[in-house]
Amino acid sequence: MKIMYLNLYCGVKEEERFQKVVEFINKCKPDILGLSELNNWDKDSLAKLKRFKKLTSFREHIFCKARTGFNMGIFSNKKVLGSKILTEGMWHGAILAKFKEGNEEIELVLTHLSPENEDFRLKEIELIKNNLDTNKKIILMGDLNSLSHQDDYNQTELLMKMKRLSIKKFGTEKIRFDAIKKIQNIGFIDSLKLFTNKFEYSVPTKYNKDFSHFTKLRLDYIFVTNALKKDVVNTQILRDKETNNTSDHFPVLIEINPS
């Protein structure tokens, strides 16, 4: 079972890039796809979303209309057993969904945490936590706009660059790792770190348009609960010539084989 996450950058305004995204998804063939920054995909009765769904042949979708306009969507070829949308108290929002895979029930959380600061992101994680039972098999994925203490950053150099560019989203007097630590403390495991200790970045790409992607950073994650850990076959950030020009973030892919 392949599950992929990708931040699309402002709804893929360019038709050529939209076609590139469709081609990439059709080549990878994920069973479940989480997308963020579906800006304007709600217009004209979800016209762009419906077009994307038709071109990629996904059977089901769940859409989260964010108050910021940075909408999210889950597209699936697995049966959706239920879903819940969170927007109250969230910067953008979150989608909580349940799927059936064989005899197993898998829960999936797609979110795009606040770009503002770590304190707001901690509140968002608390809201998500209150809607979960982390003893179950759950995947949490998205652009978390946060740095991990498990990644090998030169913190002094990173902080100097941030101050020079007036970037405060990762801290001011020191680099903050609170959000990712909180996710791990509530029962989630960073699935990428099950397969590599090497630093793997998810921004910037060659397409990059975001000034806050000022150096190599990992902002996009896929976490799993301990109950799902043994079922994870692989997790990777897909960085190649194609994905370098698909969006301003690289996609993240997890493969699981529920037992």
Side-chain angles (χ1 to χ4, degrees), residues 50-114:
K50 291 174 182 176
R51 181 180 172 221
F52 175 83
K53 187 178 175 183
K54 182 178 180 180
L55 290 171
T56 52
S57 301
F58 282 106
R59 295 199 296 267
E60 302 195 48
H61 77 269
I62 308 163
F63 184 73
C64 170
K65 181 174 172 57
R67 284 179 282 186
T68 58
F70 284 70
N71 308 317
M72 282 166 280
I74 292 175
F75 299 83
S76 176
N77 286 318
K78 299 295 181 180
K79 183 175 178 57
V80 178
L81 301 178
S83 64
K84 183 176 183 178
I85 306 295
L86 299 181
T87 54
E88 188 67 36
M90 303 287 292
W91 190 279
H92 298 305
I95 300 174
L96 287 67
K98 294 182 182 180
F99 299 90
K100 189 82 170 182
E101 172 63 7
N103 295 320
E104 292 285 343
E105 187 176 288
I106 306 292
E107 296 186 26
L108 176 67
V109 180
L110 169 66
T111 191
H112 185 181
L113 297 184
S114 167

Side-chain angles (χ1 to χ4, degrees), residues 220-231:
D220 306 87
Y221 300 81
I222 299 182
F223 286 90
V224 297
T225 49
N226 194 58
L228 193 57
K229 177 183 175 181
K230 62 180 173 49
D231 299 334

Side-chain angles (χ1 to χ4, degrees), residues 27-241:
K27 185 175 73 174
C28 289
K29 294 182 171 59
D31 298 291
I32 300 173
L33 172 68
L35 297 176
S36 61
E37 297 202 16
L38 301 185
N39 303 33
N40 296 312
W41 283 36
D42 55 321
K43 303 298 182 185
D44 302 318
S45 303
L46 298 173
K48 194 164 186 176
L49 182 146
K50 291 174 182 176
R51 181 180 172 221
F52 175 83
K53 187 178 175 183
K54 182 178 180 180
L55 290 171
T56 52
S57 301
F58 282 106
R59 295 199 296 267
E60 302 195 48
H61 77 269
I62 308 163
F63 184 73
C64 170
K65 181 174 172 57
R67 284 179 282 186
T68 58
F70 284 70
N71 308 317
M72 282 166 280
I74 292 175
F75 299 83
S76 176
N77 286 318
K78 299 295 181 180
K79 183 175 178 57
V80 178
L81 301 178
S83 64
K84 183 176 183 178
I85 306 295
L86 299 181
T87 54
E88 188 67 36
M90 303 287 292
W91 190 279
H92 298 305
I95 300 174
L96 287 67
K98 294 182 182 180
F99 299 90
K100 189 82 170 182
E101 172 63 7
N103 295 320
E104 292 285 343
E105 187 176 288
I106 306 292
E107 296 186 26
L108 176 67
V109 180
L110 169 66
T111 191
H112 185 181
L113 297 184
S114 167
E116 188 71 7
N117 59 62
E118 201 79 337
D119 291 327
F120 197 100
R121 292 190 283 268
L122 289 171
K123 293 176 183 176
E124 292 179 297
I125 295 164
E126 185 69 18
L127 286 170
I128 291 170
K129 184 200 80 170
N130 292 338
N131 285 273
L132 299 176
D133 176 358
T134 52
N135 292 310
K136 295 182 178 180
K137 293 189 173 185
I138 307 173
I139 294 168
L140 187 158
M141 66 183 189
D143 176 355
L144 304 185
N145 272 313
S146 308
L147 304 181
S148 172
H149 61 289
Q150 291 182 281
D151 288 331
D152 188 22
Y153 293 108
N154 182 323
Q155 295 184 44
T156 302
E157 183 180 315
L158 191 61
L159 195 60
M160 284 175 60
K161 287 182 180 179
M162 286 166 52
K163 287 183 176 180
R164 193 161 57 243
L165 296 168
S166 298
I167 294 171
K168 300 178 180 179
K169 66 186 291 184
F170 307 122
T172 51
E173 299 308 313
K174 65 177 183 178
I175 304 298
R176 294 184 61 182
F177 302 105
D178 310 60
I180 299 302
K181 285 182 178 179
K182 183 176 177 70
I183 289 169
Q184 292 174 318
N185 288 340
I186 64 176
F188 283 97
I189 297 161
D190 186 343
S191 67
L192 183 67
K193 291 301 182 182
L194 296 174
F195 301 96
T196 181
N197 288 318
K198 180 184 173 184
F199 173 62
E200 299 283 352
Y201 63 95
S202 65
V203 299
T205 66
K206 286 186 178 178
Y207 178 82
N208 184 47
K209 311 291 183 184
D210 190 335
F211 81 98
S212 68
H213 300 169
F214 58 94
T215 191
K216 292 178 180 178
L217 304 168
R218 183 162 67 118
L219 304 180
D220 306 87
Y221 300 81
I222 299 182
F223 286 90
V224 297
T225 49
N226 194 58
L228 193 57
K229 177 183 175 181
K230 62 180 173 49
D231 299 334
V232 180
V233 177
N234 188 33
T235 301
Q236 58 183 315
I237 297 173
L238 304 178
R239 293 195 313 270
D240 57 28
K241 184 178 179 180

